[in-house]
Amino acid sequence: RLRHEARMGAGAGPRHVAFHPAGHVVYVVNELNSTLTACAFDPDGGRLDRGESISTVPSDFPGDNFPSAIRASADGRFVYVANRGHDSVAVISTEPSPRLLATFPCGGELPRDIAFGAEGRLLYVANERSDLITILAVEPESGGLAPTGREVPFPGPTCLLPV
C-alpha cells in the first residue's frame, strides 16, 4: 500500500486536484491563497513533488477570492479554475510551466463548479449565488472562453458532471 503526503505550504488550503491527461502532473487549486500549484507526479510510487505556484486571479484584484473547481483540457495544454469572489474562470497555460493567461467572466455569481461538454468545446459553469448554469465556448487554440448566450436557470447549482 502506497502512501505519500505532499504539503502545499502554510495558508494554501488545497481544495481540488486535476491530473494532466498524460498522468505526470497533478494541478492543485488552493482555496485560501488563490493559487494553483503544479506537482510532479510519479504514478508508480504515488509521490507528489510540489512545484511552482501561481495566482488564479490578476495581481491587481483587490477583493477576496476563493477558487473552487479545477479542470484540465483533454490535450493538457490548459487548466481552468473557477474563482469565487472574482467571479471568473481562470485560463492557465501548462507549458512550459503554469502561467495565468487570462480570466473570463463566468456569467453569474459564485462559480462553484465547472465541467466540460461537447468534446471540450463547451465549459459549463455552476453559478451558485445567481441560480444559473452558464455555458461558455472554449477556443481550442488559445484556451480562451466566450459567452454562448446560453444559460440554464437552476436553483443554487453546486456540482456539475461532464456531459
Side-chain angles (χ1 to χ4, degrees):
R1 185 172 186 173
L2 302 173
R3 182 171 187 262
H4 177 74
E5 185 175 304
R7 297 186 185 271
M8 292 298 113
R15 180 177 171 94
H16 289 290
V17 301
F19 283 80
H20 186 282
H24 63 284
V25 178
V26 172
Y27 301 100
V28 181
V29 67
N30 300 297
E31 181 176 23
L32 301 180
N33 68 2
S34 294
T35 61
L36 171 133
T37 303
C39 299
F41 178 62
D42 171 14
D44 296 325
R47 181 176 178 84
L48 281 178
D49 290 312
R50 186 176 80 194
E52 182 180 358
S53 292
I54 64 161
S55 179
T56 66
V57 292
S59 60
D60 61 351
F61 178 65
D64 291 330
N65 185 66
F66 303 96
S68 55
I70 180 171
R71 302 285 181 259
S73 63
D75 63 8
R77 294 175 46 221
F78 305 103
V79 173
Y80 297 83
V81 175
N83 285 307
R84 295 172 296 165
H86 191 253
D87 289 337
S88 67
V89 176
V91 178
I92 297 164
S93 174
T94 62
E95 297 176 9
S97 61
R99 178 173 50 97
L100 178 64
L101 295 176
T103 56
F104 295 87
C106 63
E109 293 181 60
L110 207 72
R112 184 72 108 174
D113 198 7
I114 54 178
F116 287 108
E119 300 171 351
R121 291 180 295 218
L122 297 175
L123 187 71
Y124 293 79
V125 182
N127 294 293
E128 183 180 17
R129 191 168 290 150
S130 53
D131 298 328
L132 193 62
I133 298 170
T134 54
I135 304 169
L136 304 174
V138 178
E139 203 297 308
E141 287 306 308
S142 70
L145 300 170
T148 63
R150 295 172 26 204
E151 52 191 37
V152 180
F154 195 90
T158 60
C159 184
L160 295 169
L161 295 175
V163 293

